[in-house]
Amino acid sequence: MSFRDGPKDQTWNLEIPDSTLSHRRGMTPKSAPSFTIQPRLVCNNAAMGQFRIRRLAVAITGLLALGGCAAEAPIEQPTMYQSMANDGAKLDPDAAASMISLYRQNNGLGAVVVDPQLMKLAEAQSQAMASHDRLDHDVKAPLAQRLTALGYPATIAVENVSAGYHTLAEAFSGWRDSPPHRANMLKNGVTKLGIAASYAPNTKYKVFWTLILASSDPAIAAR
């Protein structure tokens, strides 16, 4: 990535004691030995032998045709590697939830699921940072105020914001390799996720990311 200062990250942590908050792999049909069809006459019935030969040739041709079609089928790129640095790019929140859940489970923690309200909150934060060309948790308001304004009864909430990563895989790797961001992704008790990436072509970092992890379970906050 050719950014002078590289991607940037910030973290925010909130705990609320109550509810105040293969180059297509060239899959041409296998270059198997060429088929050599040798007629086999049965009971000296040449016509039946020729019929069977024609039927076998048609079957082989069909299989080769199918193999050719398979070779031309496009290989879909995993959504975690799709660039968000273009107009119309759409982030896959389910892929993000799967990645973060697996990371948490590998560290003995529970999974997280996509939450529609947290998605709206994350999208608003990323759009605000992109429009102001500024990486800042408080570009609109602190997370606690944003949660309250949304009416989300968070008992635990943490937020990562970043800029300059073009793909979900890059953003995840950046968070994982930064101790405070990693601590947020591994926050005990969170169960819900909201994530967003906003593209701003006229800004230095181009893509602004927001990840919010939270829980609204009062029992978890009391532990």
Side-chain angles (χ1 to χ4, degrees):
M1 210 175 298
S2 59
F3 300 110
R4 265 181 313 216
D5 301 326
K8 299 292 184 184
D9 304 279
Q10 290 184 8
T11 63
W12 198 95
N13 187 307
L14 166 71
E15 291 195 41
I16 306 172
D18 52 44
S19 58
T20 313
L21 234 169
S22 75
H23 47 274
R24 282 195 317 206
R25 186 115 184 135
M27 289 201 294
T28 50
K30 285 187 179 178
S31 52
S34 56
F35 289 98
T36 302
I37 302 172
Q38 297 180 346
R40 181 182 176 190
L41 302 183
V42 180
C43 301
N44 289 328
N45 188 335
M48 180 60 72
Q50 291 170 2
F51 172 74
R52 291 184 178 180
I53 292 166
R54 284 197 299 270
R55 187 168 62 181
L56 179 58
V58 169
I60 293 169
T61 302
L63 287 173
L64 291 177
L66 286 175
C69 291
E72 295 302 320
I75 297 176
E76 275 192 40
Q77 185 182 46
T79 55
M80 71 180 72
Y81 298 119
Q82 290 179 3
S83 176
M84 296 293 106
N86 58 76
D87 290 321
K90 191 172 181 181
L91 182 65
D92 184 348
D94 292 322
S98 294
M99 289 174 67
I100 294 171
S101 291
L102 181 60
Y103 184 53
R104 288 174 58 80
Q105 288 167 347
N106 286 341
N107 285 273
L109 298 166
V112 292
V113 297
V114 176
D115 182 278
Q117 285 184 290
L118 294 181
M119 286 295 296
K120 289 179 183 177
L121 205 64
E123 287 165 8
Q125 173 67 11
S126 284
Q127 288 169 6
M129 291 191 298
S131 63
H132 288 82
D133 192 9
R134 193 168 89 222
L135 180 64
D136 186 354
H137 288 281
D138 301 340
V139 67
K140 290 187 70 176
L143 178 59
Q145 291 182 24
R146 286 181 272 134
L147 287 163
T148 299
L150 185 66
Y152 194 90
T155 51
I156 303 173
V158 292
E159 179 179 70
N160 288 350
V161 296
S162 304
Y165 300 115
H166 283 194
T167 69
L168 173 59
E170 290 174 1
F172 173 80
S173 294
W175 294 332
R176 183 194 57 200
D177 296 338
S178 163
H181 296 83
R182 179 171 65 248
N184 277 350
M185 288 201 297
L186 297 178
K187 185 69 176 175
N188 190 27
V190 298
T191 56
K192 305 292 178 63
L193 166 151
I195 188 169
S198 290
Y199 174 53
N202 297 321
T203 61
K204 180 179 180 180
Y205 293 108
K206 310 302 182 190
V207 184
F208 292 80
W209 294 82
T210 301
L211 169 68
I212 301 172
L213 297 163
S215 172
S216 57
D217 185 354
I220 293 175
R223 290 175 189 172

